[in-house]
Amino acid sequence: MTIMQKSARVIYNPTSGREIIKKNLADVLSILEQAGYVASAHATTAEPGDAKRAAEEAVEAHYDLVIAAGGDGTINEVINGIAEKPYRPKVGIIPTGTTNDFARALHIPRDVIKATKIIAEGDSIAMDIGKANDTYFINIGGGGRLTELTYDVPSKLKTMLGQLAYYLKGIEMIPSLKPTKVRIEYDDGVFEGKTLLFLLALTNSIGGFEKIAPDAKLDDGKFSLIIVKKTNLPELIRLITLALRGDHIKEPNIIYTKSSKVVVTSKDKMLINLDGELGGETPMTFLNLKQHIEFFADSVALLDTDLFIEK
C-alpha cells in the first residue's frame, strides 16, 4: 500500500528581516520533512504580485500546506493567491517583517525555527479574512491620511528602525492631517460626515498595539470598525493616547462597533490601506468572510485568550 505524503510549499521573502529566513531555510525544510511533508520553497522577487502568483501555483498543484515567510505584505499576497480558490490549502506563517501584526495575534514567535515548529505541530484554526472589492486582507483595512504612513515609510528606514520608523512618521504627519467627508454604511447604521480615519480590524493587533480593537475575534465573521470623527489636533492626540490603552471605545468622537459588511464612499479621493499596503481607493465594499482559511497557530497560548468564538 502506498502512503501519500503531505506536501508543503514555503513562499518566502529573501530580503525580509535581514535575510533571516534565507539563512535558516535548510532547517525550516528539515523540520517540515520530519513532520511528514515533502517540502519545497519559492523565493519571491521584487516584481509586484510574485508571492501571489507563487501561491496560485501552489493551489493549482494541490499543496496541503502553504507557508508565507516574510512581513505582513508577503502574507497578504499569499492570501490573495489562495482566498478565491475552491480548494484552499492550510496556511502557516513565519513572521520576519517589521510589525508582524497578524502573527502577533496568533501568538507566533518571530524566531524562525520556533514558528516552523508551531506549523509542524499541526494545530490549525479556521479564521476570518476580509475582502475589499476584489482584494483580500487578513489583518486591517482602513482609510484616511494617517493610515497612509505604512507605505509612506521608506523600506530602508523600516529595515533600520523597525516599528519605530512608523511612530516617527506618524508624529510627523499629525499636524498636516485633514479630514475627509465620507459615507460609511455598516450593519447597525450609517455615518455621514468628516473623518480623520477609519479602521476595520480582523485581529486585536494593529501597528503592534493590542488594545485598539480590544474585543476583536478571529472567527466571528465581523470586523471591529473604528471611525474617528473630525476633531482638533489636541483632541486627536488625546484620542490616540486613549486608544493605545484601550480606553477610546466610548469616546463621543469615536464610533466603535462590529460589522460583517462595510461600504465606504467619498467625493474626495481616499486611499485604502490593506494590511499596510495600498489597496485602491473609494468607493470600497468590505466583506468579512467567516472562517474562510485555516491557519496554523499556537493553540496552547490561544487557549488563554478570548480571541475565538469557537475553541
Side-chain angles (χ1 to χ4, degrees):
M1 187 175 83
T2 302
I3 299 175
M4 297 293 290
Q5 282 189 294
K6 297 176 292 183
S7 56
R9 185 68 161 167
V10 181
I11 300 171
Y12 70 99
N13 181 343
T15 63
S16 180
R18 298 179 181 177
E19 301 186 352
I20 187 67
I21 183 66
K22 187 177 177 181
K23 296 171 184 175
N24 289 272
L25 184 59
D27 290 332
V28 168
L29 296 176
S30 177
I31 292 169
L32 293 171
E33 287 169 0
Q34 290 173 24
Y37 289 97
V38 177
S40 60
H42 171 86
T44 61
T45 67
E47 186 178 350
D50 185 70
K52 178 184 177 182
R53 286 187 291 273
E56 290 172 338
E57 291 170 0
V59 171
E60 291 171 7
H62 232 72
Y63 276 85
D64 298 285
L65 164 65
V66 172
I67 296 174
D72 289 331
T74 300
I75 299 169
N76 175 279
E77 279 200 36
V78 169
I79 294 306
N80 271 274
I82 293 172
E84 64 182 17
K85 308 297 185 182
Y87 168 72
R88 296 185 292 277
K90 293 183 179 181
V91 176
I93 305 296
I94 300 177
T96 62
T98 304
T99 55
N100 303 300
D101 275 325
F102 188 68
R104 186 189 301 268
L106 296 183
H107 289 256
I108 297 172
R110 295 192 63 167
D111 182 279
V112 169
I113 302 304
K114 290 180 180 179
T116 307
K117 287 181 177 178
I118 285 175
I119 298 168
E121 287 169 4
D123 291 333
S124 62
I125 302 165
M127 291 176 45
D128 304 343
I129 68 169
K131 185 176 184 181
N133 287 355
D134 296 322
T135 305
Y136 299 87
F137 62 104
I138 54 166
N139 191 63
I140 189 77
R145 183 75 180 102
L146 195 57
T147 69
E148 296 173 23
L149 68 90
T150 55
Y151 38 86
D152 275 353
V153 177
S155 58
K156 286 186 179 180
L157 193 61
K158 292 180 190 178
T159 301
M160 291 170 56
L161 300 179
Q163 207 164 321
L164 178 61
Y166 291 125
Y167 304 153
L168 295 175
K169 188 66 178 180
I171 293 169
E172 175 190 316
M173 290 171 63
I174 284 176
S176 64
L177 291 178
K178 293 182 180 179
T180 305
K181 188 174 182 180
V182 296
R183 175 182 172 89
I184 301 177
E185 303 171 47
Y186 51 96
D187 288 356
D188 295 327
V190 177
F191 169 77
E192 285 192 87
K194 291 188 175 182
T195 179
L196 289 167
L197 78 152
F198 73 90
L199 297 172
L200 294 91
L202 284 155
T203 79
N204 68 331
S205 182
I206 301 174
F209 296 98
E210 298 180 359
K211 295 185 178 181
I212 296 177
D215 63 349
K217 297 286 189 291
L218 304 179
D219 63 347
D220 66 348
K222 291 184 180 293
F223 299 111
S224 294
L225 172 64
I226 304 166
I227 303 171
V228 180
K229 300 176 185 178
K230 177 186 176 182
T231 187
N232 57 41
L233 181 57
E235 174 66 4
L236 175 61
I237 293 172
R238 187 183 76 86
L239 290 175
I240 291 173
T241 303
L242 290 174
L244 299 182
R245 301 199 305 259
D247 296 331
H248 59 298
I249 60 177
K250 294 183 180 179
E251 287 290 312
N253 283 322
I254 288 181
I255 295 173
Y256 185 89
T257 187
K258 306 281 281 188
S259 187
S260 58
K261 179 179 180 180
V262 177
V263 180
V264 181
T265 54
S266 62
K267 290 184 178 179
D268 297 327
K269 181 177 180 179
M270 174 180 263
L271 301 179
I272 298 299
N273 184 315
L274 301 177
D275 292 339
E277 304 293 332
L278 179 59
E281 59 186 73
T282 53
M284 188 76 75
T285 297
F286 298 89
L287 298 174
N288 186 298
L289 305 182
K290 185 177 181 180
Q291 300 177 16
H292 194 68
I293 292 178
E294 283 197 48
F295 292 90
F296 288 92
D298 187 339
S299 59
V300 175
L302 289 173
L303 282 175
D304 296 327
T305 73
D306 58 356
L307 290 170
F308 295 91
I309 58 169
E310 298 183 7
K311 293 187 178 180

